[in-house]
């Protein structure tokens, strides 16, 4: 049986051309704080909102969990002066990210499962996971690992696909389960589950 991160890597490597053609380098949904935004503007707005919530600034040490093609990492380096270490399990994504020029501190891209990282304790100021948390085989462990690598007062920002706590059997069978299988997602947690995982790991939930 294929391990979850191997299935995720195969998925993104196999569909690389289509993802970049249809989604661009960010491969994220957008934040339409302005309804006139184009798709690309909304995606950049999402990445900027994550930076604001994570308090990313000059010299901020950021861990990007599931960095994809590195577009957010480059934006944070160029626009904020952040020092970013990104993790992806896709060889194609890592190779593409490493080839891209950046104006600012060059991000470091690691072809590695985040749960097997070797970052020292309390070594980063911010950790972010944009639509990547549920690609990881045990999402709850991400919170534990984030708590370990964050310095005191550091912040974790996650943008997560979630399921309703009251999803019907029909919804689970014909909507949620197909989405999980097609997207290689280990789970579609609910908001209360995410809250429990965070607090059990020793994090304080801001919002």
């Amino acid at each position: 049986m294929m391990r979850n991160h191997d299935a995720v890597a195969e998925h993104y490597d196999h569909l690389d051309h289509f993802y970049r053609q249809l989604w661009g380098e960010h491969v994220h949904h957008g934040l339409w704080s302005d309804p006139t935004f184009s798709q690309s503007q909304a995606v950049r707005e999402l990445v900027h909102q994550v930076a604001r919530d994570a308090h990313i600034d000059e010299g901020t040490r950021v861990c990007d969990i599931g960095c994809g093609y590195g577009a957010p990492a480059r934006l944070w380096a160029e626009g904020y002066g952040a020092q970013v270490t990104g993790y992806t399990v896709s060889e194609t994504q890592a190779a593409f990210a490493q080839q891209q020029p950046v104006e600012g501190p060059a991000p470091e891209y690691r072809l590695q499962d985040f749960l097997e990282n070797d970052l020292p304790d309390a070594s980063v100021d911010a950790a972010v996971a944009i639509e990547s948390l549920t690609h990881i085989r045990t999402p709850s462990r991400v919170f534990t690992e984030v708590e370990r690598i964050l310095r005191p007062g550091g912040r974790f920002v996650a943008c997560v696909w979630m399921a309703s706590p009251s999803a019907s059997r029909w919804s689970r069978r014909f909507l949620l389960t197909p989405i999980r299988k097609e997207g290689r997602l280990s789970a579609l947690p609910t908001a209360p589950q995410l809250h429990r995982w965070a607090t059990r790991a020793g994090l304080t939930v801001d919002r």
Side-chain angles (χ1 to χ4, degrees), residues 18-205:
F18 299 101
Y19 269 116
R20 282 195 286 124
Q21 185 178 50
L22 297 174
W23 288 81
E25 295 180 12
H26 281 274
V27 199
H28 294 309
H29 294 81
L31 177 61
W32 272 266
S33 56
D34 183 330
T36 67
F37 279 165
S38 66
Q39 170 70 24
S40 61
Q41 288 174 317
V43 170
R44 290 177 65 85
E45 175 63 15
L46 172 66
V47 177
H48 282 299
Q49 183 61 54
V50 169
R52 291 190 287 269
D53 289 339
H55 294 180
I56 294 175
D57 206 342
E58 186 79 25
T60 301
R61 296 163 299 170
V62 181
C63 177
D64 186 0
I65 304 164
C67 65
Y69 296 109
R74 291 190 293 277
L75 187 152
W76 296 323
E78 294 175 350
Y80 298 85
Q83 300 173 358
V84 187
T85 300
Y87 287 84
T88 178
V89 295
S90 166
E91 290 187 20
T92 305
Q93 290 181 343
F96 180 91
Q98 290 162 358
Q99 294 169 4
Q100 305 312 303
V102 60
E103 298 274 344
E108 177 185 0
Y109 303 108
R110 299 186 180 183
L111 180 60
Q112 185 180 19
D113 183 342
F114 170 71
L115 293 181
E116 298 172 1
N117 80 83
D118 58 358
L119 292 172
D121 294 356
S123 60
V124 302
D125 303 302
V128 299
I130 304 179
E131 297 168 2
S132 61
L133 182 71
T134 53
H135 276 315
I136 296 175
R137 63 185 181 275
T138 315
S140 59
R141 284 188 56 202
V142 174
F143 291 87
T144 304
E145 194 59 21
V146 163
E147 195 279 334
R148 183 187 69 79
I149 65 173
L150 278 180
R151 65 163 178 79
R155 298 173 73 85
F156 177 40
V157 177
C159 303
V160 187
W161 276 43
M162 294 182 289
S164 166
S166 57
S168 67
R169 181 178 300 178
W170 185 95
S171 296
R172 294 185 182 281
R173 179 178 179 182
F174 294 106
L175 178 64
L176 301 181
T177 297
I179 286 174
R180 281 185 55 193
K181 289 181 177 178
E182 179 60 30
R184 306 302 189 270
L185 306 177
S186 61
L188 278 169
T190 64
Q193 282 178 314
L194 292 167
H195 193 286
R196 284 197 301 274
W197 292 345
T199 54
R200 286 175 181 172
L203 299 171
T204 300
V205 178

